[in-house]
């Protein structure tokens, strides 16, 4: 398995040899947190937890690596030396299902996320070829390996991405287009799936690495990849898609100015941040560090559109670090604005070693929750002694990084990788992997060498707040041509922050409660997503194809003989420019009865409207035909059509519909009023024939309209 953190682990080995003088009488905590429950999951060998998230149903998903066969909580045989192992529990920690995914060689899971379809995306790195659950050959020594599963843990697909050397994935996220961003570090040059050269030119380094991100679609097909690096070792450990559709990448670097890195290094390693646009093009980069080693492992965009970064620091005051170290290494958090300018930084620690930094996240009150592990006794910022050797240590700060409380998570053993989240009900869930048995906050014995462990705490002095019940509205959802609309949050339970996503609009996102003037300039159907949060947590509402923008129809009218015609449409209304709407003129055609300027307004099946060109009629058409033979009137007619012969000679009158079918026949001598009530509205062709033996032919043909 890849290990780029050997310099930091050296300190751990030293501290494992030290016998701590433990104070068995624990100091009263600064906070009112009360344990609710805890659960252990494992088997008879080693389980290592690296990823942890609350799920949409209020439960939790835990993921990492398992070296065990079937035993304990593990029901599937190992595929190789180590496999991905995922555990799903309900809201009180009861096991619902667990799944193993692996190939014949070591596979290491480092990131997971619940996806919009209720399933999960799993990511890490693999040295396995086609074997077990792995369906694609390994490209290099280790590759990115992605596994997509459904809501019950059933595998849907897997994908491998890599170059010819070592590539290790540490972060992934479903993107707003339904695809995924994969992030980690790569030692590969142009080869396999990697299209850009390695920038690390360090010849004395044990390992060489750049940041490497890979964008894939919803089915796992690669869309593009990008390499970012300096001239030495750069290790990416954290990534997030930002509200502008771009990406924020973070890790630590040993590089000075060179390659993609525009700022000098302060110490042996610094935090290094890279901001890209939605296509992975670099927008800016920032270096933050002190005079020794500083290692970034977690980041998040904050409610004010800035960023928070967290990791461990071996540095004292110097460079960007404004506070002295408490011990060997401390937690270090850095807050910046939206373009990476430092607003403040905080050193949080005690007299010994704080390491295995887990994560930093913003809480519903705009403060921050920081998690990792600590070897320290009561000192510095730490108010409780460890019960075991190394314990998870949690710190809650306000929006300016001022500590509100800290909590040591007691076991009788050695704990690794502290992770913490604020839950939807406003409580806190902490997860790690531990070799501790029953003792401290741990109520179940160990299965093997180390197990997954999750424990939940609540502040029982706080008023219980329910998460928002999300609802929304807008000024319009279906419209024709380009339009700007306003959105309104209708959520219950008093949300305090909002995150809107408008794919397809000119403004892709907003953090306002009621965003206005959101403009859609492209035809199609578009989703709208609202995430609303309060002190109890967040909830999400995604409305699929909620906004529909249609192109208006196009109309044109033309004249044929005495009739005006419109292009085909769903409905019609004829107008005369001076007199306005023409009552009853709702057919595709219209026969003007007087001089004027005429046009037609049409609509399609959606209700989009268009107006035609205007045609001028200079004389009325009230009499259809008048010559030395006959007069037909009125036109248009309703139930009766009058025919007057100008000479005393019998003729045969026929009417035909537009299909050529004869619908009326009568012979008259001088004049007659024809009853046409049985005829449908429309255009008819009249035909006058002479019935005598000498003629027998057509004397006159023309057109008449019934309304």
């Amino acid at each position: 398995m890849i290990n780029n953190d050997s310099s930091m682990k050296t300190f751990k080995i030293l501290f494992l040899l030290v016998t701590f003088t433990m104070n068995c009488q624990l100091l009263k905590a600064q906070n009112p947190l009360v344990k609710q429950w805890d659960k252990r999951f494992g088997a008879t060998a080693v389980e290592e937890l690296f990823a942890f998230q609350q799920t949409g149903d209020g439960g939790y998903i835990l993921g990492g690596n398992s070296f065990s066969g079937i035993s304990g909580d593990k029901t599937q045989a190992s595929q190789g030396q180590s496999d991905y192992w995922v555990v799903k529990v309900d809201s009180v920690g009861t096991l619902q299902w667990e799944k193993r995914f692996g190939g014949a060689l070591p596979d290491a899971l480092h990131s997971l996320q619940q996806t919009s379809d209720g399933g999960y995306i799993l990511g890490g790195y693999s040295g396995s070829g086609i074997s077990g659950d792995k369906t694609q050959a390994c490209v290099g020594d280790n590759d990115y390996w992605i596994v997509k599963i459904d809501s019950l843990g059933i595998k849907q697909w897997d994908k491998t991405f890599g170059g010819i050397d070592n590539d290790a994935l540490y972060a992934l996220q479903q993107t707003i287009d339904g695809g995924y961003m994969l992030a980690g570090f790569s030692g590969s040059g142009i080869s396999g799936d990697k299209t850009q050269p390695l920038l690390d030119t360090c010849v004395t380094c044990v390992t060489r690495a750049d940041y490497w991100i890979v964008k894939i679609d919803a089915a796992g097909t690669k869309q593009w990849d990008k390499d970012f690096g300096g001239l030495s070792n750069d290790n990416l450990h954290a990534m997030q898609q930002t509200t502008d559709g771009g990406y924020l990448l973070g890790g630590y670097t040993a590089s000075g100015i060179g390659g993609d890195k525009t700022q000098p290094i302060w110490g042996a390693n610094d935090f290094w941040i890279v901001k890209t646009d939605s296509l992975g093009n670099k927008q800016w980069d920032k270096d933050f560090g002190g005079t020794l080693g500083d290692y970034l492992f977690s980041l998040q965009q904050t409610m004010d559109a800035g960023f928070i970064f967290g990791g461990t620091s071996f540095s004292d005051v110097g460079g960007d670090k404004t506070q002295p170290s408490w011990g060997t290494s401390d937690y270090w958090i850095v807050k910046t604005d939206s373009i990476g300018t430092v607003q403040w930084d905080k050193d949080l620690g005690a007299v010994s070693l704080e390491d295995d930094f887990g994560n930093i996240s913003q809480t519903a009150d705009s403060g921050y929750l920081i998690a990792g592990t600590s070897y320290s006794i009561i000192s510095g910022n730490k108010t409780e002694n460890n019960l075991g050797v190394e314990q998870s240590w949690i710190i809650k700060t306000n929006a300016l990084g001022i500590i509100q409380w800290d909590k040591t998570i007691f076991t009788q053993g050695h704990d690794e990788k502290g992770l913490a989240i604020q839950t939807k009900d406003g409580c806190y869930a902490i997860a790690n992997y531990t070799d501790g048995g029953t003792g401290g906050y741990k109520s179940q014995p160990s299965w093997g060498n180390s197990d997954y462990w999750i424990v939940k705490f609540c502040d029982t002095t706080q008023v219980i707040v329910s998460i928002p019940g999300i609802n929304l509205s807008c000024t319009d959802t279906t419209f024709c041509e380009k339009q700007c609309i306003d959105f309104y949050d209708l959520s219950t339970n008093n949300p305090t922050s909002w995150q809107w996503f408008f794919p397809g609009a000119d403004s892709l996102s907003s953090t306002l409660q009621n965003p206005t003037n959101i403009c859609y300039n492209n035809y199609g159907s578009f989703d709208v997503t609202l995430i609303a949060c309060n002190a109890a947590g967040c909830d999400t509402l995604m409305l699929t194809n909620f906004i529909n923008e249609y192109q208006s129809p196009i109309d044109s009218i033309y004249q044929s003989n005495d009739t005006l015609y419109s292009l085909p449409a769903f409905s019609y209304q004829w107008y005369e420019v001076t007199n306005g709407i023409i009552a009853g003129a709702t057919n595709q055609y219209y026969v003007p009865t007087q001089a004027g300027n005429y046009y037609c307004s049409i609509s399609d099946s959606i209700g989009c409207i268009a107006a035609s060109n205007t045609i001028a009629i200079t004389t009325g058409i009230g009499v259809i035909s008048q010559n030395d033979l006959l007069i037909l009137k009125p036109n248009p007619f309703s139930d009766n059509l009058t025919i007057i012969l100008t000479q005393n000679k019998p003729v045969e009158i026929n009417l035909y519909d537009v299909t050529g079918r004869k619908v009326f026949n009568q012979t008259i001598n001088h004049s007659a009023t024809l009853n046409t009530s049985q005829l449908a509205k429309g255009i008819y062709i009249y035909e006058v024939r002479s019935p005598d033996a000498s003629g027998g032919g057509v004397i006159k043909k023309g057109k008449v309209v019934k309304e």
Side-chain angles (χ1 to χ4, degrees):
M1 298 172 68
I2 293 176
N3 184 359
N4 265 14
D5 307 329
S6 58
S7 61
M8 291 188 295
K9 298 303 180 185
T10 302
F11 287 93
K12 274 196 159 183
I13 296 170
L14 294 175
F15 276 94
L16 287 173
L17 300 177
V18 177
T19 301
F20 286 95
T21 303
M22 301 301 298
N23 182 356
C24 296
Q25 186 65 36
L26 298 176
L27 184 71
K28 183 179 180 181
Q30 286 182 316
N31 63 81
L33 296 187
V34 176
K35 176 188 163 186
Q36 305 298 300
W37 52 262
D38 76 293
K39 295 289 182 178
R40 169 271 298 128
F41 304 100
T44 53
V46 174
E47 276 65 59
E48 301 172 327
L49 183 138
F50 291 103
F52 165 53
Q53 184 187 53
Q54 189 168 28
T55 51
D57 60 0
Y60 304 89
I61 188 83
L62 301 94
N65 312 321
S66 174
F67 293 78
S68 300
I70 297 175
S71 54
D73 299 301
K74 195 162 183 279
T75 61
Q76 294 175 298
S78 176
Q79 297 281 16
Q81 180 181 340
S82 65
D83 299 328
Y84 290 9
W85 191 41
V86 182
V87 176
K88 174 66 175 69
V89 302
D90 65 15
S91 61
V92 294
T94 303
L95 178 66
Q96 295 177 301
W97 52 260
E98 46 81 31
K99 295 290 181 178
R100 173 271 299 131
F101 304 98
L105 294 178
D107 309 299
L109 183 150
H110 279 274
S111 185
L112 59 75
Q113 184 190 20
Q114 188 169 33
T115 50
S116 57
D117 62 359
Y120 304 90
I121 190 78
L122 318 176
Y125 54 87
S126 172
S128 300
I130 297 174
S131 54
D133 301 297
K134 195 162 184 291
T135 63
Q136 293 178 306
C138 196
V139 182
D141 293 339
N142 283 283
D143 298 330
Y144 290 8
W145 187 37
I146 315 304
V147 180
K148 176 66 175 69
I149 61 177
D150 66 15
S151 61
L152 298 177
I154 307 301
K155 177 184 161 187
Q156 296 174 303
W157 50 262
D158 73 293
K159 296 288 181 178
T160 297
F161 302 98
I164 60 173
D165 214 309
N166 276 327
D167 308 301
L169 182 147
Y170 279 88
L172 58 72
Q173 183 184 356
Q174 188 171 35
T175 49
I176 57 177
D177 63 358
Y180 305 95
M181 176 58 75
L182 319 177
F185 53 82
S186 172
S188 300
I190 297 175
S191 55
D193 301 295
K194 195 159 185 289
T195 64
Q196 295 179 306
L198 183 68
L199 293 171
D200 185 348
T201 58
C202 180
V203 295
T204 60
C205 297
V206 176
T207 59
R208 298 170 61 197
D210 291 344
Y211 290 8
W212 188 40
I213 59 174
V214 180
K215 177 65 173 67
I216 62 176
D217 65 17
T221 302
K222 178 186 166 186
Q223 296 175 301
W224 49 262
D225 72 294
K226 296 286 183 178
D227 178 284
F228 302 99
L231 304 182
S232 192
N233 201 300
D234 309 300
N235 294 274
L236 186 152
H237 280 268
M239 175 274 302
Q240 183 186 9
Q241 187 169 33
T242 50
T243 54
D244 62 359
Y247 302 93
L248 188 71
L249 318 177
Y252 52 89
T253 177
S255 298
I257 296 175
D260 297 301
K261 194 160 184 292
T262 64
Q263 295 178 306
I265 191 168
W266 285 106
N269 281 278
D270 291 347
F271 290 11
W272 187 39
I273 315 303
V274 177
K275 175 65 175 68
T276 78
D277 64 15
S278 61
L279 297 177
N281 299 307
K282 178 185 159 186
Q283 295 175 306
W284 50 261
D285 73 292
K286 296 288 182 178
D287 178 287
F288 307 116
T291 55
L292 295 177
D294 306 296
Y295 303 87
L296 183 148
F297 293 100
S298 182
L299 57 78
Q300 185 182 18
Q301 188 169 30
T302 51
M303 296 175 187
D304 62 359
F307 306 105
I308 191 77
F309 305 100
T312 55
S313 173
F314 290 80
S315 299
D316 215 325
V317 175
D320 299 298
K321 196 159 185 284
T322 64
Q323 295 180 310
S325 175
W326 285 104
T328 306
S329 72
D330 296 338
Y331 300 168
W332 187 38
I333 60 175
V334 179
K335 174 67 174 68
T336 75
D337 63 15
S338 61
I339 57 173
T341 302
V342 174
Q343 296 174 307
W344 51 260
D345 73 294
K346 297 291 180 181
D347 179 283
L348 308 169
V351 297
S352 192
L353 179 69
E354 278 66 63
D355 75 341
D356 277 345
F357 191 92
N359 64 311
I360 185 168
S361 57
Q362 192 165 33
T363 50
D365 62 358
S366 298
Y368 300 98
L369 187 66
I370 301 123
T373 62
S374 173
Y375 285 94
S376 296
I377 61 174
I378 296 172
S379 55
N381 304 120
K382 195 164 186 286
T383 64
E384 296 175 302
N385 284 325
N386 290 352
L387 181 61
V389 179
E390 180 185 11
Q391 314 274 247
S392 293
W393 185 38
I394 314 304
I395 298 174
K396 172 68 173 67
T397 77
N398 66 12
L400 297 177
I402 307 301
I403 294 177
Q404 296 174 306
W405 51 258
D406 77 294
K407 184 68 181 170
T408 299
I409 312 302
F410 305 126
T411 73
Q412 290 187 333
H414 191 117
D415 307 333
E416 302 279 2
K417 198 62 176 179
L419 298 167
I421 59 173
Q422 186 175 43
T423 55
K424 295 179 180 180
D425 58 2
C427 298
Y428 302 93
I430 297 97
N432 63 26
Y433 63 99
T434 178
D435 63 5
T438 304
Y441 292 120
K442 193 166 184 289
S443 63
Q444 295 174 298
S446 175
W447 277 114
N449 185 281
S450 64
D451 300 329
Y452 295 1
W453 184 49
I454 178 174
V455 57
K456 183 177 180 183
F457 291 87
C458 289
D459 181 350
T460 56
T461 68
Q462 299 296 314
V463 176
I464 300 300
V465 179
S466 298
I467 63 172
I470 298 188
N471 198 2
L472 61 89
S473 68
C474 62
T475 50
D476 203 353
T477 60
T478 301
F479 45 86
C480 308
E481 292 297 337
K482 301 170 183 178
Q483 186 169 327
C484 299
I485 58 177
D486 300 335
F487 287 85
Y488 303 98
D489 167 51
L490 302 179
S491 303
T492 59
N493 299 329
N494 301 311
T496 56
S497 66
W498 300 265
Q499 181 64 69
W500 297 80
F501 295 99
F502 307 113
D506 61 349
S507 301
L508 294 177
S509 63
S510 175
T511 56
L512 298 176
Q513 181 178 10
N514 300 308
T516 60
N517 205 38
I518 304 300
C519 301
Y520 289 85
N521 297 317
N522 299 291
Y523 303 121
S525 297
F526 307 102
D527 303 340
V528 171
T529 299
L530 171 59
I531 303 171
C533 303
N534 60 16
C538 304
D539 205 0
T540 301
L541 175 64
M542 179 177 178
L543 300 177
T544 303
N545 297 331
F546 184 62
I547 301 297
N548 298 279
E549 181 176 345
Y550 298 96
Q551 187 170 7
S552 293
I554 298 174
D555 191 28
S556 178
I557 62 172
Y558 61 94
Q559 182 177 2
S560 177
N561 296 323
D562 54 6
T563 304
L564 300 177
Y565 294 89
S566 167
L567 295 179
F570 184 77
S571 66
Y572 312 86
Q573 177 60 61
W574 290 87
Y575 293 80
E576 197 283 315
V577 172
T578 301
N579 298 318
I581 191 170
I582 303 173
T586 57
N587 294 318
Q588 185 179 356
Y589 56 85
Y590 177 68
V591 179
T593 59
Q594 61 185 12
N597 295 294
Y598 294 88
Y599 69 94
C600 185
S601 175
I602 65 168
S603 67
D604 58 20
S605 59
I606 304 300
C608 297
I609 298 172
S612 73
N613 56 304
T614 299
I615 292 180
I617 301 297
T618 57
T619 57
I621 317 177
V623 176
I624 264 195
S625 176
Q626 181 171 348
N627 55 27
D628 59 348
L629 178 63
L630 78 166
I631 298 171
L632 282 78
K633 65 178 184 180
N635 177 47
F637 66 94
S638 54
D639 290 338
N640 296 296
L641 177 63
T642 299
I643 302 174
I644 302 173
L645 299 179
T646 59
Q647 54 186 357
N648 189 13
K649 182 178 180 180
V651 295
E652 181 183 2
I653 303 295
N654 298 312
L655 290 181
Y656 300 88
D657 63 20
V658 292
T659 67
R661 182 173 61 92
K662 184 186 292 187
V663 296
F664 187 88
N665 172 262
Q666 186 171 328
T667 299
I668 65 174
N669 288 312
H670 181 261
S671 64
T673 297
L674 309 181
N675 185 348
T676 58
S677 59
Q678 80 280 9
L679 297 181
K681 295 179 181 181
I683 298 174
Y684 294 91
I685 305 299
Y686 70 85
E687 181 183 75
V688 181
R689 286 179 173 269
S690 172
D692 60 23
S694 61
V698 176
I699 301 172
K700 183 69 177 176
K701 291 185 70 172
K703 182 166 49 180
V704 67
V705 177
K706 179 178 180 181
E707 291 188 331

